[in-house]
């Protein structure tokens, strides 16, 4: 089944403790992206990647890092999480043909205390 | 930054009625997409309309696009209780090698029996 898999689904952590949210897709998509969703603010893009070893900042990249060493994986790294990063996070992927919709993962609900 | 603004923010209708949601955006686009999100879950791609298209249909969905007014509408005909969800428009702008997908804040649709 074609899908984007995020792990974990739920995570509670403490301020300052480094964490990684993994994202993997099995559709050979070139484009991958991370979003956070907050009440009243909709989805905001954190980082995106057009292909392996090519990443770029979205609208809210501060406090986040990403890497794209393999085509299928696009992990989101929070080096020193803070409470304002408590949010619902989504990974998405799409082919680069620019005429396709995006496939989203099921989301990761992160709470930083 | 938010590109799309959906209207209304919330909509409650009875099963069998039609639901219309509107989206306005600010900049040029290459295409506009509509997504559905069940509470706390990942987004599901519904339909994509290109900037040179004016109307598109998919099952009970009808999307229109007016690039002169920078607006789009999503019509769901003969709604069902299972259509209860949040609906988001997202604009895509391709610049060089980058492709940016920007979401609006969504319309919450409640379909009652």
């Amino acid at each position: 089944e074609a899908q984007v898999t995020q792990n974990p689904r739920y995570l509670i952590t403490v301020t300052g403790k480094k964490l990684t949210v993994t994202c993997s897709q099995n559709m050979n998509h070139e484009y991958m992206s991370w979003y956070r969703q907050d009440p009243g603010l909709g989805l905001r893009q954190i980082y995106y990647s057009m292909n392996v070893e090519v990443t770029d900042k979205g609208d809210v990249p501060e406090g986040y890092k990403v890497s794209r060493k393999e085509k299928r994986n696009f992990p989101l790294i929070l080096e020193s999480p803070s409470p304002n990063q408590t949010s619902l996070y989504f990974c998405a992927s799409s082919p680069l043909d620019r005429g396709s919709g995006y496939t989203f993962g099921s989301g990761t609900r992160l709470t930083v205390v | 930054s938010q590109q799309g603004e959906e209207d209304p923010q919330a909509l409650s209708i009875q099963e069998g009625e039609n639901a219309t949601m509107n989206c306005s955006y600010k900049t040029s686009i290459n295409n506009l997409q509509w997504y559905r999100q069940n509470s706390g879950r990942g987004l599901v791609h519904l339909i994509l309309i290109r900037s040179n298209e004016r109307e598109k249909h998919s099952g009970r969905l009808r999307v229109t696009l007016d690039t002169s007014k920078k607006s789009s509408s999503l019509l769901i005909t003969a709604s069902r209780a299972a259509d209860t969800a949040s609906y988001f428009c997202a604009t895509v702008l391709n610049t060089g090698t980058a492709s940016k997908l920007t979401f609006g804040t969504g319309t919450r649709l409640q379909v009652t029996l």
Side-chain angles (χ1 to χ4, degrees):
Chain A
E1 181 190 349
Q3 60 185 357
V4 175
T5 303
Q6 288 179 235
N7 279 298
R9 285 294 312 276
Y10 301 92
L11 179 61
I12 301 174
T13 190
V14 296
T15 299
K17 186 176 181 183
K18 180 179 178 180
L19 66 92
T20 300
V21 184
T22 63
C23 174
S24 180
Q25 50 95 3
N26 62 1
M27 296 163 283
N28 202 37
H29 287 168
E30 293 85 3
Y31 182 92
M32 296 185 76
S33 182
W34 276 102
Y35 292 85
R36 60 177 290 173
Q37 185 176 29
D38 302 288
L41 296 176
L43 285 94
R44 294 178 292 168
Q45 189 179 51
I46 303 170
Y47 269 94
Y48 65 94
S49 168
M50 303 295 285
N51 216 324
V52 177
E53 302 291 1
V54 180
T55 63
D56 211 342
K57 296 177 181 178
D59 296 316
V60 288
E62 294 78 20
Y64 305 95
K65 283 175 57 176
V66 293
S67 69
R68 188 92 183 272
K69 295 187 173 67
E70 305 164 283
K71 198 171 187 179
R72 62 183 293 124
N73 295 324
F74 190 45
L76 180 69
I77 303 154
L78 285 72
E79 295 268 2
S80 182
S82 63
N84 65 11
Q85 292 178 298
T86 292
S87 187
L88 181 57
Y89 291 86
F90 290 101
C91 180
S93 74
S94 83
L96 264 187
D97 63 9
R98 300 181 173 186
S100 304
Y102 290 64
T103 302
F104 278 78
S106 299
T108 296
R109 188 168 292 280
L110 172 66
T111 302
V112 183
V113 298
Chain B
S1 60
Q2 295 302 314
Q3 163 75 309
E5 296 288 335
E6 279 95 338
D7 169 55
Q9 289 189 325
L11 179 61
S12 183
I13 60 174
Q14 291 194 314
E15 200 170 51
E17 295 180 333
N18 295 341
T20 299
M21 289 159 265
N22 302 297
C23 169
S24 60
Y25 57 92
K26 299 172 185 170
T27 68
S28 298
I29 63 171
N30 292 96
N31 67 65
L32 185 144
Q33 304 176 22
W34 284 90
Y35 288 81
R36 165 199 167 118
Q37 183 184 33
N38 288 86
S39 181
R41 307 294 296 273
L43 283 80
V44 175
H45 179 254
L46 295 176
I47 195 165
L48 179 154
I49 185 165
R50 292 182 170 78
S51 59
N52 61 353
E53 297 175 315
R54 292 297 166 258
E55 189 171 312
K56 204 160 181 181
H57 296 253
S58 176
R60 292 185 296 114
L61 305 180
R62 173 177 168 255
V63 170
T64 63
L65 178 64
D66 187 335
T67 52
S68 66
K69 294 181 179 176
K70 290 186 168 59
S71 68
S72 173
S73 68
L74 171 68
L75 169 67
I76 304 173
T77 60
S79 62
R80 306 165 182 166
D83 294 328
T84 294
S86 291
Y87 292 82
F88 294 86
C89 71
T91 57
V92 175
L93 179 63
N94 300 321
T95 57
T97 56
S99 182
K100 187 170 177 61
L101 179 73
T102 307
F103 285 87
T105 51
T107 293
R108 291 177 62 86
L109 173 65
Q110 176 77 41
V111 182
T112 55
L113 294 170

